[in-house]
Amino acid sequence: MTELSPFVYWAQTEDIITLKVDLKDVKKPDVKLGEKKLQFSGHGHGARGEHDYSFTLDFHSEVNPDESKYKVMDRQGNDFKEGEQWVVAKINCNSSEACLVKAYVDDEEEPRDVLGDYPGLYEKLEKEELGYRKEDLKKVYLIFYNLCQFVGFTYILTVMAIRYLRDGPGTYEAVGGAIKFCQLMQILEIMHPLFGYTRGGVLNPFMQVMGRNIVLFCLIEAEPRMWEKPVIFYLFSIWSLVEFVRHSIYRVWLFKKNASFLVWLRYTIWIPLYPLGFLCEGVVILRDIPYFEETQRFTVSLPNAWNFTFHFPTVLRIYLLLIFFPALYKFHLLKNLEKEEESELSYKMFYLN
């Protein structure tokens, strides 16, 4: 007859562990207690009816077998206080099924993470029982999102490299659709911290994502004469290379792996590429000003129903004078890179945990 695992109730203080095996009419219980292991077997009436039950518990720390004892009592006997709080955890057993252990949590003490004492054991038992391991929906979504971004920017870099070797710079018509899709998807990164999918604030991803989208859709997409400019090729190359490495790291972290080389690459290419990318964006703005003066696109002139005027080229000039050059200077400060690295570290801790 196959031996089953009974319910085991676990209560713990700083120096005492109390276990209760939930069996009725136990006959000849066999209890073997070592310094770091407890083995139990016996015939009794449990959750699966009258069967042979057994289990093995591996303790996180050593216990004193000489000062330990056990007793057999009726099923209504209960050594635990009323009003206890319980959390269900899976602990190693020697039978084909996992035994369920209910861990006592004292209201006055900090709750103990029982699963933390046995890292990886829950996933192993879950896979043995179900034939697969359940994944958190957030993790599955993040894997899919980072994979899509990784594939998208890999495609962009590949096409741009081939076109550059064959025709030289000027590949917007070839990769414009792909890079617009990837940049629109990055709007989701603004939502991730709001819904608890990642840690960190909303301001940094909002500024970066929306800034790129304004450059892409308002300054490049809206002016076809910019499509063949060499600066567009260099700007897209910088964006794609940065995102290729970033999403490569995130995918590795989601599988709880460390990638020292990718981390080194990320923070090495960061220093030259971010200021260069920002400089390319400034060149795009500067080259666009005459075009928008000519076409008056995004400009609102008087008279109109709202009695309001908006001159887009003037806004671009003000941005270059008051925001772009001071921001370009700050990009060279290592403190800003350290702040960005701290933000990246919050992603790492969230993904690895």
Side-chain angles (χ1 to χ4, degrees):
M1 182 181 296
T2 302
E3 292 185 349
L4 304 175
S5 301
F7 282 98
V8 181
Y9 296 82
W10 174 304
Q12 181 174 341
T13 62
E14 290 186 359
D15 53 359
I16 297 177
I17 296 175
T18 304
L19 300 175
K20 185 181 76 170
V21 182
D22 192 9
L23 291 177
K24 183 180 179 182
D25 300 328
V26 182
K27 299 177 182 178
K28 298 180 180 180
D30 182 16
V31 180
K32 296 179 182 179
L33 178 63
E35 291 183 348
K36 298 197 69 173
K37 180 180 293 187
L38 171 66
Q39 294 177 307
F40 170 87
S41 62
H43 186 87
H45 192 278
R48 298 294 186 87
E50 188 171 349
H51 289 286
D52 290 328
Y53 292 86
S54 67
F55 66 88
T56 299
L57 293 181
D58 296 316
F59 300 127
H60 179 265
S61 303
E62 294 183 356
V63 298
N64 190 338
D66 297 332
E67 296 183 2
S68 302
K69 59 183 179 180
Y70 73 92
K71 62 180 178 179
V72 179
M73 54 187 177
D74 59 33
R75 191 161 186 167
Q76 282 70 35
N78 189 354
D79 286 344
F80 302 147
K81 300 177 294 183
E82 294 182 1
E84 293 167 348
Q85 299 177 9
W86 301 88
V87 293
V88 178
K90 295 191 176 181
I91 307 297
N92 187 29
C93 296
N94 60 358
S95 63
S96 60
E97 298 185 4
C99 59
L100 293 178
V101 176
K102 292 188 176 180
Y104 166 69
V105 179
D106 193 337
D107 290 334
E108 298 179 357
E109 296 181 0
E110 182 179 355
R112 179 176 179 181
D113 182 12
V114 178
L115 294 181
D117 296 339
Y118 302 88
L121 185 58
Y122 180 85
E123 289 81 1
K124 179 182 177 182
L125 292 172
E126 185 178 54
K127 187 174 182 180
E128 290 177 354
E129 287 186 65
L130 302 177
Y132 62 92
R133 190 181 69 181
K134 293 181 180 178
E135 293 288 359
D136 181 61
L137 291 178
K138 291 182 180 180
K139 183 177 179 180
V140 173
Y141 161 76
L142 288 172
I143 290 175
F144 178 75
Y145 170 78
N146 284 282
L147 179 61
C148 288
Q149 292 287 66
F150 172 80
V151 172
F153 285 107
T154 301
Y155 168 80
I156 293 168
L157 284 172
T158 303
V159 172
M160 291 180 66
I162 295 174
R163 292 290 296 269
Y164 180 82
L165 294 175
R166 189 180 65 185
D167 304 323
T171 57
Y172 184 79
E173 292 184 356
V175 300
I179 201 162
K180 285 187 289 185
F181 174 77
C182 290
Q183 286 302 133
L184 285 175
M185 278 192 64
Q186 286 192 348
I187 296 177
L188 294 173
E189 296 190 20
I190 303 174
M191 307 298 176
H192 290 169
L194 288 176
F195 295 101
Y197 280 57
T198 58
R199 295 176 183 173
V202 178
L203 182 60
N204 284 341
F206 176 82
M207 295 295 292
Q208 180 169 336
V209 172
M210 298 310 297
R212 283 188 181 181
N213 283 338
I214 290 174
V215 171
L216 178 60
F217 290 98
C218 295
L219 302 180
I220 299 176
E221 174 68 18
E223 181 49 65
R225 285 174 287 185
M226 286 294 299
W227 294 359
E228 297 301 320
K229 303 296 183 183
V231 67
I232 303 301
F233 170 83
Y234 298 124
L235 178 61
F236 286 179
S237 297
I238 292 171
W239 284 358
S240 300
L241 186 57
V242 168
E243 297 303 322
F244 172 83
V245 177
R246 183 167 73 96
H247 290 289
S248 297
I249 293 176
Y250 289 174
R251 288 190 308 115
V252 172
W253 286 345
L254 283 167
F255 289 100
K256 299 185 178 180
K257 304 292 183 180
N258 284 309
S260 301
F261 173 74
L262 286 177
V263 174
W264 173 84
L265 184 63
R266 168 66 169 162
Y267 296 118
T268 300
I269 67 172
W270 200 328
I271 297 175
L273 290 186
Y274 265 59
L276 286 175
F278 199 64
L279 182 61
C280 289
E281 293 174 8
V283 173
V284 171
I285 295 173
L286 191 63
R287 295 293 298 270
D288 261 326
I289 290 177
Y291 296 144
F292 286 113
E293 288 278 14
E294 176 186 342
T295 62
Q296 293 296 300
R297 185 182 293 271
F298 305 124
T299 294
V300 179
S301 302
L302 291 174
N304 55 65
W306 299 280
N307 196 27
F308 170 79
T309 183
F310 176 80
H311 192 244
F312 190 56
T314 300
V315 172
L316 295 180
R317 292 188 181 97
I318 294 174
Y319 169 79
L320 288 176
L321 180 63
L322 301 181
I323 300 178
F324 176 79
F325 289 110
L328 183 62
Y329 170 75
K330 291 186 67 176
F331 257 114
H332 287 82
L333 299 179
L334 292 179
K335 288 184 178 180
N336 286 274
L337 296 178
E338 291 174 356
K339 290 180 180 179
E340 199 71 26
E341 183 176 349
E342 292 176 0
S343 177
E344 193 97 348
L345 181 61
S346 68
Y347 281 90
K348 178 179 179 181
M349 298 306 297
F350 182 84
Y351 287 156
L352 290 179
N353 292 333

